[in-house]
Amino acid sequence: QQQVKQSPQSLIVQKGGISIINCAYENTAFDYFPWYQQFPGKGPALLIAIRPDVSEKKEGRFTISFNKSAKQFSLHIMDSQPGDSATYFCAANFGNEKLTFGTGTRLTIIP
Amino acid sequence: DTAVSQTPKYLVTQMGNDKSIKCEQNLGHDTMYWYKQDSKKFLKIMFSYNNKELIINETVPNRFSPKSPDKAHLNLHINSLELGDSAVYFCASSQEIGVVEKLFFGSGTQLSVL
């Protein structure tokens, strides 16, 4: 069964700190791992994505770290800002299969 | 100019009623989806259409019937609404079937069944 397990369920980080959200998957066929960001009252929006041929991808303050042998990937938000407060979803898929989403992490950045 | 727009934003109705949610995308995408997000924020795909053809039907009760009059529109009709149908429903689109690099979501329709 295709599953993506995400943790923690909620996270509080001080402004300027590093936010880290983790995901683990079971299906070794997965070859695409995006992260989506969702603000209250809005739909999810693609934030950053990675394919398993690289171990890390960085876009501004957002970095995905990917560990193929452990079947884990994580989102790191450097210098976290109050505007980063949102719910974050990891996801995975392969080929023509639908995206399988994680259960979401509610991130709150406090001043 | 909204890329994926859905209406209404909020929908409050009684059990047993029939309701529809409309979705339109102006991105020229071939594939559209309906997702359900429950109270715990879990996102689950319901349907996928590619150029008006049903591609994915995720064992959704047949009270839910999607309709795609053209590739820019995907509506969701729900018959005999039940309490458990209360959720946020998101419409989404992507460039083409199988190419899910980027899903574009609408802002959601919050359905409350009383």
Side-chain angles (χ1 to χ4, degrees):
Chain A
Q1 185 180 0
Q2 297 180 0
Q3 277 190 331
V4 179
K5 296 181 180 177
Q6 183 172 347
S7 63
Q9 192 172 19
S10 62
L11 180 63
I12 299 174
V13 175
Q14 206 137 29
K15 180 183 173 183
I18 303 173
S19 304
I20 302 174
I21 304 170
N22 301 300
C23 282
Y25 62 96
E26 297 176 358
N27 190 338
T28 54
F30 283 150
D31 63 1
Y32 176 67
F33 304 89
W35 284 89
Y36 278 77
Q37 180 188 53
Q38 183 180 22
F39 292 109
K42 299 292 185 184
L46 180 66
L47 183 65
I48 187 172
I50 197 169
R51 291 199 180 270
D53 51 345
V54 296
S55 60
E56 187 175 282
K57 183 172 181 180
K58 185 175 181 179
E59 290 184 2
R61 296 184 294 109
F62 300 91
T63 300
I64 299 179
S65 296
F66 183 78
N67 185 330
K68 190 173 182 178
S69 60
K71 293 189 286 185
Q72 294 175 346
F73 59 110
S74 58
L75 176 70
H76 296 236
I77 307 175
M78 312 300 286
D79 187 26
S80 299
Q81 299 297 312
D84 297 330
S85 297
T87 299
Y88 292 81
F89 294 92
C90 61
N93 90 315
F94 67 94
N96 292 331
E97 294 297 308
K98 64 185 187 296
L99 270 178
T100 298
F101 283 91
T103 48
T105 296
R106 187 170 184 172
L107 174 65
T108 304
I109 308 300
I110 55 175
Chain B
D1 198 20
T2 307
V4 181
S5 58
Q6 53 183 109
T7 56
K9 176 77 174 171
Y10 300 97
L11 189 51
V12 181
T13 188
Q14 299 285 333
M15 256 175 37
N17 284 351
D18 304 339
K19 290 293 178 186
S20 292
I21 307 171
K22 295 186 176 181
C23 179
E24 175 182 4
Q25 54 95 3
N26 62 6
L27 298 165
H29 288 169
D30 290 331
T31 306
M32 296 184 72
Y33 310 79
W34 278 109
Y35 279 83
K36 179 180 180 181
Q37 186 171 49
D38 62 23
S39 58
K40 294 183 178 179
K41 298 288 190 182
F42 186 63
L43 267 170
K44 186 172 168 56
I45 191 169
M46 300 173 69
F47 300 103
S48 167
Y49 267 74
N50 184 58
N51 204 9
K52 302 193 298 177
E53 181 183 346
L54 180 65
I55 301 298
I56 294 174
N57 181 340
E58 283 290 305
T59 57
V60 177
N62 57 15
R63 298 183 296 105
F64 291 79
S65 52
K67 293 265 190 324
S68 182
D70 55 61
K71 74 173 193 176
H73 294 85
L74 180 62
N75 303 322
L76 183 64
H77 188 76
I78 314 171
N79 288 328
S80 303
L81 278 155
E82 301 177 356
L83 293 175
D85 298 331
S86 295
V88 181
Y89 292 84
F90 287 99
C91 177
S93 72
S94 65
Q95 182 64 32
E96 56 187 277
I97 189 68
V99 180
V100 293
E101 271 85 24
K102 192 164 186 177
L103 283 176
F104 291 80
F105 284 86
S107 292
T109 295
Q110 185 163 338
L111 171 64
S112 299
V113 182
L114 308 177

